[in-house]
Amino acid sequence: MAETKHILIVGAGPVGLALAGELGWRGITCTVVEKSDGSIAQPKMDWLGTRTLEFCRRWDIVPWVHAAGYNRAYPQDCAYVSSLNGFEFGREVLPSAEKEEALPQSPAPRGERCPQNFFDPVLRRFASQFPSVKLRYQTELLGFEEHGDHITARVKDLRSNKEETIEAAYLIGCDGGGSSVRDAIGIKMEGPGTLTYTTNAIFRTEDLDALHDKSPAYRYIFIGPEGTWSTVVAINGRDEWRFSLVGDATRQMPSEEEMRAAIIKAVGREFKFEILSMLPWARRQLVAENYGRGRIYIAGDAAHLTSPTGGFGMNMGLQDAVDLGWKLEAALQGWAGPELLHSYGLERRPVAIRNVNEATDNLKRMLAPRLAKPGPEIFEPGAKGDAARKAFGDQYNEMMKREWYTVGIHLGFIYEGSPVIIPDGTPLPPDEVSTYTPTARPGSRAPHIWLAEGKSTLDLFGRGFVLLCFGGVNADELSKAAERHYVPMRLVMIDNSEARKLYERRFVLVRPDGHVAWRSDQAPDAREAERIVAIVRGANSAQQAA
């Protein structure tokens, strides 16, 4: 048969759309099949972390994110209350999106509020602008077979009931927690499983803030004598909210009448509102035992399921898509060695384990008042109650800060032990959550420095490998070796003392995904250059070459 250069993506959630956009941005032909019509009744995510915003900057879609629909002037405080018309125990005051400034370590801010019902259309628009990308909604994957040099997949158009076969070089399952792709190739999920059963209700009311005396907040956490029992989150920063009735490990299915009563209890008064949709779901802590093999891989929720406490899930999925995207491009262009695609799961799985565990710990902190029940005095009026509430609120807020400030989670992950990263012998830095110290140590995200007004070092990365050369010298042999093996690489001379100090070495090789692959103070000779290129393109692993 004729050689195919086509990728088939199953699932058009944010990860599938991001992967399609990333591939289209690289000029790779791909088809996305999605059995739904693409509408979002229940947004499953609402937070774009710093690294995701850096990708959006790379793709030039940040203005689309800002204009997607969320009220960027709305405060992003997190408040802890008995009810909206009851007592406030404390809050973490956070600026609105329009007042967020770029972090010192990034050209992007701490994050951006953009729920899935807004972000999916942005990513759909991004992917659709490339002629090489085809999006097929209401099209279901029926099955697939691997034939050594290609995949054949059977799909069905749910509108016409017509079945057809699609041939592809690779198949990527971005089809969520119940992934049929993952199940078909026998990948198991590992972890404790269900943490809580929760039911979400999206409701609309004209002016929730006018119904109570609290300062506006993006998120309210409701704590009663029984402990933490529900949350309310702003969906558009205007008139739509998500109410979550947080259960335990017992399966629950509350009726609409019960959800209405719970919402009224949370607000603390009768009011007019409309429930737009309800969704019972299980909060899980699971990571796939591997991320695929041969010509079939998984990404996003198909590879990791996490409590949303922290907002890590979709952001991890976009990191999956970017890591996988350039490696698929390399495989299709013929310069990838056998270790390159294999490295995808080896790099991304440890990050998922780390983040999923952190999200579960965030959930435990949020639900802590269930275990150590708050004293009855915090629900009593008067000076004694005020003092008790302040003590309780201060303690709870201090504990919850770890969830609100997670720059280390979003920027500090390191691909330690990757077969396509060349270690330099420096020690692994501490794995921090709320802080992040930039480093150009191999495996790390290449650090951000402003090189000129509006131009970050991060703007140099994406299309191929970039060899940063500091001090007016270059590494010609490395460029020659890359050219011999058709590896896209360009040299960039950096005359910036701050960048030189941060990157620490005279030569730093950065991958298309923005992670450092190798660095040294010595320009490699021809033989060493061949070794470096062989490792970073996956022809030899770093461990074999050591």
Side-chain angles (χ1 to χ4, degrees):
M1 66 169 267
E3 183 182 13
T4 179
K5 297 287 189 179
H6 180 234
I7 307 292
L8 177 60
I9 300 169
V10 182
V15 177
L17 290 170
L19 178 57
E22 172 76 3
L23 292 173
W25 186 73
R26 296 183 179 282
I28 302 299
T29 301
C30 64
T31 296
V32 183
V33 295
E34 165 59 50
K35 63 183 179 181
S36 78
D37 64 2
S39 59
I40 306 294
Q42 281 273 349
K44 295 180 180 178
M45 50 70 54
D46 65 9
W47 178 249
L48 311 186
T50 306
R51 189 61 175 148
T52 294
L53 291 176
E54 291 177 351
F55 297 147
C56 291
R57 178 186 175 93
R58 172 193 292 186
W59 298 330
D60 198 25
I61 62 172
V62 171
W64 299 359
V65 170
H66 290 174
Y70 191 86
N71 179 7
R72 302 186 73 244
Y74 195 75
Q76 294 301 289
D77 294 10
C78 296
Y80 324 114
V81 299
S82 61
S83 79
L84 292 185
N85 280 284
F87 298 112
E88 180 171 315
F89 306 119
R91 71 171 54 215
E92 184 66 17
V93 177
L94 297 166
S96 63
E98 67 180 10
K99 293 183 178 178
E100 284 270 14
E101 297 182 355
L103 295 173
Q105 310 97 323
S106 173
R110 183 179 63 93
E112 178 80 25
R113 200 66 61 186
C114 191
Q116 187 180 359
N117 54 317
F118 296 138
F119 194 44
D120 274 15
V122 167
L123 292 175
R124 185 173 179 173
R125 177 184 173 189
F126 168 55
S128 298
Q129 70 181 330
F130 302 108
S132 61
V133 176
K134 181 183 291 187
L135 303 180
R136 297 184 55 179
Y137 289 89
Q138 293 182 271
T139 302
E140 183 177 10
L141 176 72
L142 299 178
F144 57 88
E145 294 180 3
E146 187 173 5
H147 301 282
D149 63 349
H150 71 287
I151 299 286
T152 57
R154 293 181 298 110
V155 302
K156 179 179 180 180
D157 186 312
L158 299 178
R159 291 160 293 192
S160 66
N161 285 325
K162 180 182 178 182
E163 295 185 15
E164 64 180 286
T165 298
I166 297 176
E167 292 183 350
Y170 295 93
L171 185 150
I172 315 300
C174 301
D175 49 342
S179 172
S180 63
V181 174
R182 183 190 66 223
D183 291 346
I185 59 176
I187 296 177
K188 296 179 181 179
M189 300 292 276
E190 298 178 339
T194 301
L195 303 172
T196 71
Y197 287 97
T198 296
T199 303
N200 288 353
I202 305 296
F203 71 93
R204 178 186 292 137
T205 189
E206 192 149 321
D207 190 355
L208 183 65
D209 291 337
L211 298 174
H212 60 84
D213 61 354
K214 308 293 182 293
S215 297
Y218 147 75
R219 184 181 187 185
Y220 298 97
I221 296 176
F222 296 92
I223 301 170
E226 72 274 42
T228 311
W229 66 278
S230 68
T231 66
V232 164
V233 168
I235 289 297
N236 61 6
R238 295 180 180 87
D239 62 348
E240 290 186 13
W241 302 81
R242 181 178 65 232
F243 174 80
S244 297
L245 187 60
V246 185
D248 53 24
T250 305
R251 187 181 295 273
Q252 59 174 328
M253 185 72 73
S255 66
E256 182 172 331
E257 183 179 358
E258 290 170 325
M259 288 297 282
R260 290 189 69 88
I263 292 169
I264 291 169
K265 175 186 173 183
V267 175
R269 59 175 285 182
E270 293 281 348
F271 69 106
K272 291 182 180 180
F273 64 97
E274 176 188 7
I275 292 182
L276 303 179
S277 63
M278 287 178 50
L279 178 70
W281 58 284
R283 194 184 307 255
R284 304 188 190 279
Q285 180 185 349
L286 295 168
V287 177
E289 61 182 351
N290 64 74
Y291 279 23
R293 53 167 173 73
R295 295 184 175 272
I296 305 163
Y297 295 89
I298 57 176
D301 283 358
H304 39 74
L305 288 167
T306 180
S307 170
T309 37
F312 306 144
M314 187 282 303
N315 292 288
M316 279 193 289
L318 257 69
Q319 294 163 17
D320 294 344
V322 171
D323 186 283
L324 188 55
W326 75 272
K327 293 172 180 177
L328 288 170
E329 178 189 30
L332 293 183
Q333 290 182 345
W335 56 266
E339 292 287 341
L340 192 61
L341 276 171
H342 179 60
S343 73
Y344 160 63
L346 297 178
E347 290 182 347
R348 295 300 308 153
R349 188 172 182 272
V351 177
I353 293 171
R354 163 202 190 234
N355 293 2
V356 165
N357 289 342
E358 180 64 23
T360 297
D361 288 345
N362 284 338
L363 174 66
K364 291 176 180 177
R365 283 184 279 271
M366 186 184 84
L367 298 181
R370 288 187 180 183
L371 296 177
K373 297 286 193 298
E377 61 274 8
I378 73 168
F379 304 104
E380 296 174 0
K384 183 178 179 182
D386 290 343
R389 279 186 287 280
K390 185 178 187 311
F392 171 80
D394 288 350
Q395 182 183 33
Y396 190 72
N397 190 49
E398 188 62 32
M399 179 175 62
M400 291 295 291
K401 282 180 184 290
R402 184 175 170 115
E403 180 175 344
W404 313 144
Y405 301 99
T406 54
V407 63
I409 290 287
H410 291 280
L411 299 184
F413 57 93
I414 298 175
Y415 295 146
E416 189 72 3
S418 168
V420 295
I421 297 288
I422 302 172
D424 65 355
T426 55
L428 187 67
D431 186 11
E432 303 288 352
V433 171
S434 300
T435 60
Y436 164 66
T437 302
T439 175
R441 181 181 182 273
S444 304
R445 160 192 167 275
H448 152 76
I449 286 289
W450 292 114
L451 297 175
E453 183 71 28
K455 184 178 181 180
S456 166
T457 47
L458 271 58
D459 299 333
L460 300 170
F461 314 135
R463 293 295 184 184
F465 282 85
V466 175
L467 179 60
L468 301 179
C469 302
F470 299 90
V473 293
N474 60 35
D476 291 335
E477 292 297 339
L478 196 55
S479 297
K480 293 175 184 177
E483 186 175 358
R484 281 192 293 272
H485 296 283
Y486 306 100
V487 177
M489 181 187 297
R490 65 190 180 101
L491 273 62
V492 177
M493 309 299 290
I494 302 289
D495 183 17
N496 182 296
S497 59
E498 187 180 3
R500 170 68 180 88
K501 181 179 180 181
L502 185 58
Y503 276 79
E504 298 183 307
R505 302 292 188 273
R506 293 168 67 195
F507 305 102
V508 181
L509 183 62
V510 181
R511 309 188 321 184
D513 62 349
H515 281 253
V516 175
W518 165 86
R519 67 176 181 173
S520 177
D521 275 329
Q522 302 299 319
D525 59 20
R527 181 176 179 181
E528 176 64 6
E530 280 288 332
R531 185 186 79 90
I532 292 168
V533 170
I535 291 172
V536 300
R537 72 182 184 90
N540 292 320
S541 76
Q543 288 72 25
Q544 291 171 339

